[in-house]
Amino acid sequence: MDQTLVDNLRSQPRDAALFRNGDSKKEEPKMRTAYVALGSNLGDRVAMIEQACREMDARGIRVKRTSSLWETEPMYVLDQDRFVNGACEVETELEPLPLLDALQDVEKSMGRRKVIDKGPRNIDLDILMYEDETVSHPRLQIPHRLIAEREFVLRPLAELIPHRALDAARPWKLIQDYLNDLPPPAAGSSEPLSTLTPLRASVTPLHALRSTRPTQIMAILNVTPDSFSDGGVHLPPDVQSQTEAREGIKTNGSVLLSSLSPAYVAALQSTIKFFIASGATMIDVGGQSTAPGAPEVSVSEELARVLPAITLIRSMPEAAHVSVSVDTYRAAVAEAAVNAGADIVNDVSAGRLDDDMLPTVARLGCTVCLMHMRGTPATMSSMNEYPDGLIGTIASELRERVDAAEKAGVRRWRIVLDPGMGFAKVGDQNLDILRHMPELRQWPGLEGLPWLLGSSRKSFVGKITGVPKPEDRVFGTAATVAAAVQGGADIVRVHDVLEMAQVVKMADAIFRY
């Protein structure tokens, strides 16, 4: 063929594919970003929303980020249950109408039946925004035409994209502006909207912004020989010598529990019953001490310590309305513990000490507590300098961990924060945390998330009060717990459950009204 003719053919765009030397790769589809509203007011509302997110992922509509979940009163049709609402940022190659079809298919697959317009529904998915496009179609309006009047849509959307224009024709007015323009609640109406953090289906969720919320009591159950305050008290007998023999059944909590002596099991059960009767609403089970200088144990050893305790708690009728937390920074332990009945993963490293932790928590779909710590338990005591300010640094470093968790697929409504008292903080730094809790709770990017505080029996309490033995620091701990409640803590983690439950009850009466 004449070379001039070949060159001429190459120059024609419609025939370009003929001259790729056999390379017939398809052009990658363009991924688009959209924002989808999530809502439910029937059945297990949170479970419905989480299922919808999984269904979207399964259809190639990738859920990249989520807002918090907000519990709201119904609008328009008032004679129905309260809604749980949220929003998510999705990535999709679908155009707006095909995306609408896919979302409606998700609703249909989950049993959605529309009987009354704006009436009860187990799941509701609406496209709020799609890139910067405006769509006007009999089936679809983008941006959604009712965004500007709906607080339960604006609040979650403002968590995701507060500084984005809602209407491309009015680029100066941002989503946060629309939220700020909403009229205040009428006098005597219900209190402002609150975020909702689920723990387990049988337990009332946390409402971090509800002024009358009760403070949760998390009882500490350390099944370790070397925790700083109660090491050895609840350690299974001969657990270390039996670990090797248990290697093949290390994730079977029932088998591990049955291998322990009846006397030990009865004593542990008595302790758990005491915690619950004293006012504990959560029990935190730990099998690896994070005290400075404590040796690191194997995964099998840690499992042999925590799984029997978790299995026992879950077998007790008294604990049906108690959440169980596992205190671990290892993904393998977290997964086995959740499979045994734990509801929360309490990770002192916020996922930094095990790269598999955050993806594992995301896959399990459980709630996670991200604590602020620097270094490791062995090195943290030397990493307590904060030249840019303690509170701002804690907030910014926790914000990084929240971002990492969301990137790994953890839903924002599944995150609890802990400022890490005593972890890379010494002396008065812990007092500063108590003094500035309101500031942490309102820090940009952390608003609406619940907080756990753990000051119980810690060394700064002993230093100030002059009480050397941790178990004798009850009164000093009580003062820190009352301060935590005043500062807005949602959960206090304590050793002395009976005494601290009374402190919390009194502090709630004073500050939560």
Side-chain angles (χ1 to χ4, degrees):
M1 183 180 290
D2 184 84
Q3 186 60 43
T4 303
L5 177 60
V6 171
D7 292 340
N8 288 338
L9 288 171
R10 286 184 184 275
S11 68
Q12 300 180 36
R14 66 178 182 276
D15 293 323
L18 298 175
F19 300 94
R20 288 179 179 163
N21 298 321
D23 183 5
S24 59
K25 287 183 180 178
K26 291 185 178 179
E27 187 176 337
E28 289 292 325
K30 183 177 180 180
M31 302 306 292
R32 315 294 290 275
T33 298
Y35 294 87
V36 177
L38 311 165
S40 174
N41 77 331
L42 290 177
D44 187 334
R45 301 166 301 171
V46 175
M48 287 292 177
I49 288 173
E50 291 182 330
Q51 181 183 343
C53 290
R54 292 192 297 270
E55 294 285 346
M56 284 190 280
D57 281 330
R59 287 164 171 77
I61 305 166
R62 180 175 168 240
V63 178
K64 293 183 66 179
R65 291 191 300 151
T66 61
S67 70
S68 302
L69 290 180
W70 298 76
E71 190 169 39
T72 65
E73 297 288 350
M75 288 183 70
Y76 313 115
V77 179
L78 303 182
D79 187 19
Q80 56 180 321
D81 291 335
R82 294 168 67 89
F83 275 85
V84 169
N85 292 104
C88 62
E89 178 183 285
V90 302
E91 188 177 67
T92 178
E93 62 185 65
L94 298 175
E95 293 296 317
L97 283 174
L99 176 59
L100 175 64
D101 290 335
L103 296 180
Q104 290 181 343
D105 184 62
V106 170
E107 292 177 334
K108 183 179 178 181
S109 72
M110 293 179 60
R112 165 82 184 269
R113 298 292 182 270
K114 192 169 183 177
V115 179
I116 304 172
D117 186 37
K118 299 181 177 61
R121 66 214 79 166
N122 66 325
I123 190 65
D124 191 21
L125 305 174
D126 289 315
I127 303 173
L128 300 174
M129 301 179 69
Y130 185 97
E131 298 280 322
D132 291 321
E133 294 187 18
T134 299
V135 177
S136 183
H137 186 275
R139 294 181 57 212
L140 181 64
Q141 298 290 317
I142 298 178
H144 194 285
R145 62 188 179 86
L146 297 177
I147 290 179
E149 69 181 51
R150 293 178 168 180
E151 184 182 5
F152 64 83
V153 175
L154 285 171
R155 285 213 176 272
L157 201 54
E159 287 184 292
L160 295 172
I161 45 173
H163 305 303
R164 175 140 167 209
L166 181 58
D167 183 351
R170 304 178 70 196
W172 60 87
K173 187 155 186 177
L174 309 179
I175 288 171
Q176 186 67 50
D177 296 328
Y178 284 96
L179 181 59
N180 295 341
D181 287 348
L182 289 177
S189 63
S190 59
E191 62 179 81
L193 299 190
S194 176
T195 53
L196 177 153
T197 303
L199 302 171
R200 64 182 280 109
S202 62
V203 173
T204 301
L206 302 176
H207 293 90
L209 300 179
R210 187 172 292 174
S211 63
T212 58
R213 69 194 185 280
T215 306
Q216 304 297 310
I217 305 289
M218 176 182 277
I220 299 170
L221 184 63
N222 284 324
V223 281
T224 58
D226 49 2
S227 291
F228 83 95
S229 173
D230 55 353
V233 176
H234 307 297
L235 179 70
D238 302 322
V239 68
Q240 288 182 311
S241 63
Q242 297 176 36
T243 298
E244 200 170 306
R246 291 183 177 126
E247 192 70 29
I249 54 169
K250 63 184 179 181
T251 60
N252 189 322
S254 297
V255 175
L256 288 168
L257 182 62
S258 66
S259 70
L260 300 173
S261 71
Y264 170 76
V265 173
L268 185 60
Q269 188 174 49
S270 178
T271 297
I272 295 165
K273 287 182 178 180
F274 174 75
F275 284 165
I276 296 170
S278 298
T281 53
M282 301 176 172
I283 299 177
D284 189 41
V285 182
Q288 164 66 63
S289 174
T290 52
E296 190 171 64
V297 301
S298 68
V299 170
S300 295
E301 177 72 16
E302 189 176 354
L303 288 169
R305 292 175 179 181
V306 301
L307 292 184
I310 293 170
T311 302
L312 179 60
I313 296 169
R314 280 288 151 251
S315 72
M316 297 170 60
E318 301 92 333
H321 298 289
V322 170
S323 302
V324 176
S325 170
V326 60
D327 183 359
T328 186
Y329 50 78
R330 290 166 161 158
V333 175
E335 181 160 11
V338 170
N339 290 336
D343 310 292
I344 304 160
V345 174
N346 184 11
D347 182 357
V348 297
S349 78
R352 290 187 306 100
L353 296 182
D354 187 337
D355 291 340
D356 291 332
M357 177 61 92
L358 296 178
T360 297
V361 168
R363 177 169 48 81
L364 293 170
C366 62
T367 296
V368 62
C369 182
L370 305 176
M371 195 190 81
H372 179 268
M373 181 180 72
R374 289 173 160 183
T376 69
T379 64
M380 63 184 179
S381 296
S382 62
M383 304 179 72
N384 50 43
E385 294 186 6
Y386 298 86
D388 296 326
L390 176 69
I391 301 303
T393 303
I394 291 174
S396 62
E397 291 179 2
L398 274 178
R399 174 71 185 270
E400 291 173 3
R401 300 317 303 160
V402 170
D403 291 345
E406 291 184 312
K407 186 176 181 179
V410 178
R411 309 306 184 201
R412 186 176 179 86
W413 57 75
R414 287 286 182 180
I415 295 175
V416 177
L417 300 178
D418 181 343
M421 300 182 75
F423 287 78
K425 293 97 182 168
V426 294
D428 287 356
Q429 290 175 333
N430 296 288
L431 301 181
D432 284 339
I433 290 174
L434 290 170
R435 292 167 181 150
H436 295 282
M437 273 304 300
E439 188 177 339
L440 280 172
R441 292 181 67 238
Q442 296 169 13
W443 200 270
L446 305 181
E447 309 101 319
L449 294 173
W451 287 81
L452 181 155
L453 261 70
S455 56
S456 182
R457 299 183 179 180
K458 290 198 170 170
S459 59
F460 78 94
V461 176
K463 183 177 181 180
I464 292 171
T465 59
V467 179
K469 292 183 179 179
E471 62 269 26
D472 293 335
R473 296 170 184 164
V474 178
F475 294 114
T477 295
T480 66
V481 167
V485 174
Q486 182 182 23
D490 301 273
I491 306 165
V492 290
R493 184 176 179 272
V494 299
H495 297 87
D496 304 292
V497 178
L498 178 64
E499 294 86 350
M500 296 311 121
Q502 294 177 18
V503 171
V504 162
K505 188 172 289 188
M506 195 67 221
D508 278 353
I510 298 169
F511 302 116
R512 303 283 169 92
Y513 60 93

